[in-house]
Amino acid sequence: MTYLSRPVFTYPFNWAEALQKSFSFDLREMQIGFGLETYAAKQLNVVRGLEFSVLATCLGDIAWLEDFFNQLYGPATGFWLPTDQQEMTIKNVVDTTHFDITAQNLVNTWSDTNAIYLYFTSLARGPQAAKITAVATIDATTERVTIDAAVTVDTNTKVSRLLYVRL
């Protein structure tokens, strides 16, 4: 599958080994000295590193992985990586671009990072992807998510965030 013309990494992680995540910040002189610290939610110099492994059990698995990574030409070309856990629990489907989720304060946090793309997987359908465009509070236990593309989902659909990864 591709999304926004880039491939999506769909091979399963090796869950016997923990996924490792690290952050490094280019703080430069903005954090040196005395006084109030400067904070900007959209700093340009933040790098998030991920290290994960996959369990290739046969020659076909190895060939799939090699073919996938061979598609990534150039030093800055990347791919989409679905996050390792389900991010949302769908409670109700309103239409193809709106669905309700169990409240998780997404209304206040969805735009804090650039991980605003969602990856939908279901046994009944193939994978689908869309971008969050808005989140609204319905009541104390429900939030409504609006996405930019028509997606067929139901309450059994797994929703993960997509991270854009560069090697």
Side-chain angles (χ1 to χ4, degrees):
M1 175 187 176
T2 61
Y3 180 61
L4 298 178
S5 76
R6 299 303 317 143
V8 177
F9 187 82
T10 57
Y11 199 83
F13 293 107
N14 177 9
W15 293 112
E17 224 177 277
L19 180 71
Q20 297 179 18
K21 189 185 306 185
S22 65
F23 298 87
S24 65
F25 298 90
D26 180 9
L27 300 178
R28 300 186 192 212
E29 62 276 355
M30 74 191 312
Q31 298 290 324
I32 298 173
F34 302 98
L36 185 65
E37 289 186 358
T38 305
Y39 172 77
K42 299 183 189 274
Q43 292 183 21
L44 298 177
N45 299 313
V46 178
V47 175
R48 184 182 347 186
L50 293 172
E51 182 179 323
F52 62 91
S53 64
V54 295
L55 188 59
T57 58
C58 65
L59 290 177
D61 295 346
I62 295 169
W64 184 93
L65 288 167
E66 286 182 351
D67 288 344
F68 180 85
F69 289 113
N70 284 337
Q71 294 177 47
L72 307 174
Y73 298 108
T77 303
F79 60 95
W80 294 106
L81 181 69
T83 54
D84 58 327
Q85 73 267 5
Q86 183 166 333
E87 295 282 342
M88 301 171 192
T89 302
I90 298 176
K91 292 175 71 173
N92 178 43
V93 178
V94 179
D95 57 36
T96 59
T97 58
H98 299 85
F99 57 92
D100 296 340
I101 62 169
T102 302
Q104 59 183 36
N105 197 29
L106 195 64
V107 69
N108 294 318
T109 61
W110 74 272
S111 61
D112 285 349
T113 70
N114 58 358
I116 58 174
Y117 298 94
L118 301 178
Y119 187 65
F120 302 88
T121 53
S122 170
L123 294 176
R125 313 163 196 58
Q128 303 168 84
K131 178 182 176 182
I132 299 173
T133 57
V135 179
T137 301
I138 300 301
D139 58 40
T141 63
T142 308
E143 293 175 323
R144 179 160 296 158
V145 178
T146 304
I147 53 178
D148 71 339
V151 173
T152 306
V153 297
D154 58 34
T155 55
N156 295 318
T157 301
K158 180 182 173 192
V159 184
S160 301
R161 299 250 182 146
L162 282 175
L163 302 176
Y164 192 69
V165 176
R166 291 185 179 146
L167 300 177

